[in-house]
Amino acid sequence: ADLEGFRYRLQNSLGKLREQVIQAAVVHVEPERAVCGTFPGGELAGFIDLVMRTERQDCVIVDMKWSGSKKFPEKLRANRHLQLAIYAELLRQHSGDWPSVAYYILDKAQFFTPAPCAFPDAKVVPSDSGENTAQLWQRFLAAWRWRVAQIQAGRFEVVHDSIAEDDASKPPEDAMAMEVLNPNYNEYRTLAGWGC
């Protein structure tokens, strides 16, 4: 029953994705697009789930997720969609233009995007700050420079929700705010005294 339910949801979702692609007048779809580029720390590379180009030459990056119809809109609202921002910057380095970005949540057959894009049924979730993906990239660079300066000074912060912030743990105003990740995925939690 679970397998049949999965098949049904996936087939329905892909059908709706196809409808959106047609309505957006997409003329080119490139799955698993390899991208590479540089930033002040060196080289960056990755694979974008889907890169689409419309008849009007609009470029859209789509990151496919099975679930997360609450999590990923919240990332857009908080302007924390860093994976999409990195992909967008890597494409920008080659084309000169910022592409649109979107999440496609397969189990809900729904696009979420921070700004209007080519897909007519996409749910637009603007950031609370009013900033866009390009500004998120600049905030990432500011956060990266701040952390590099700390590391070069021999200071390494262990970020954990049970450790109180101090002045050294507050990023500059133009940087991304720090985010406490799920401790189950934190490889460095043992530095704070927790076992593996």
Side-chain angles (χ1 to χ4, degrees):
D2 287 343
L3 179 58
E4 285 307 310
F6 169 77
R7 284 180 176 154
Y8 173 79
R9 287 196 312 270
L10 183 59
Q11 185 175 9
N12 178 58
S13 184
L14 292 178
K16 288 187 177 180
L17 174 60
R18 185 172 182 267
E19 289 172 13
Q20 286 294 294
V21 167
I22 292 168
Q23 290 179 37
V26 170
V27 294
H28 182 77
V29 178
E30 193 172 354
E32 289 299 313
R33 162 86 181 262
V35 288
C36 61
T38 60
F39 83 116
E43 295 181 2
L44 285 172
F47 292 90
I48 303 172
D49 290 341
L50 295 172
V51 176
M52 301 187 192
R53 189 162 300 280
T54 68
E55 286 178 346
R56 296 183 324 211
Q57 296 304 304
D58 297 325
C59 181
V60 184
I61 291 171
V62 179
D63 192 26
M64 309 279 279
K65 303 293 185 188
W66 173 249
S67 62
S69 58
K70 292 182 182 175
K71 173 183 176 180
F72 293 103
E74 185 51 43
K75 279 186 174 288
L76 296 174
R77 191 171 288 109
N79 206 33
R80 298 192 67 81
H81 52 288
L82 185 57
Q83 180 183 9
L84 285 172
I86 291 170
Y87 290 156
E89 167 61 13
L90 294 178
L91 277 184
R92 187 207 61 78
Q93 288 179 15
H94 292 282
S95 71
D97 297 318
W98 279 93
S100 298
V101 298
Y103 290 112
Y104 187 71
I105 310 300
L106 286 158
D107 76 338
K108 298 295 184 188
Q110 180 69 58
F111 274 109
F112 293 97
T113 182
C117 70
F119 302 109
D121 291 342
K123 182 173 181 188
V124 177
V125 184
S127 69
D128 290 339
S129 67
E131 293 184 345
N132 61 28
T133 303
Q135 290 165 310
L136 170 58
W137 173 253
Q138 292 305 315
R139 285 190 174 280
F140 160 72
L141 292 177
W144 180 83
R145 289 183 185 105
W146 167 65
R147 283 297 194 201
V148 166
Q150 288 181 327
I151 291 168
Q152 289 172 342
R155 297 169 57 215
F156 298 83
E157 181 181 11
V158 177
V159 178
H160 195 276
D161 58 359
S162 66
I163 299 173
E165 282 187 353
D166 61 15
D167 288 339
S169 64
K170 293 179 183 167
E173 284 192 25
D174 63 341
M176 288 179 67
M178 293 297 99
E179 180 179 8
V180 176
L181 301 176
N182 182 330
N184 293 329
Y185 302 108
N186 185 347
E187 297 175 357
Y188 304 103
R189 68 183 182 273
T190 53
L191 293 174
W194 288 271
C196 291

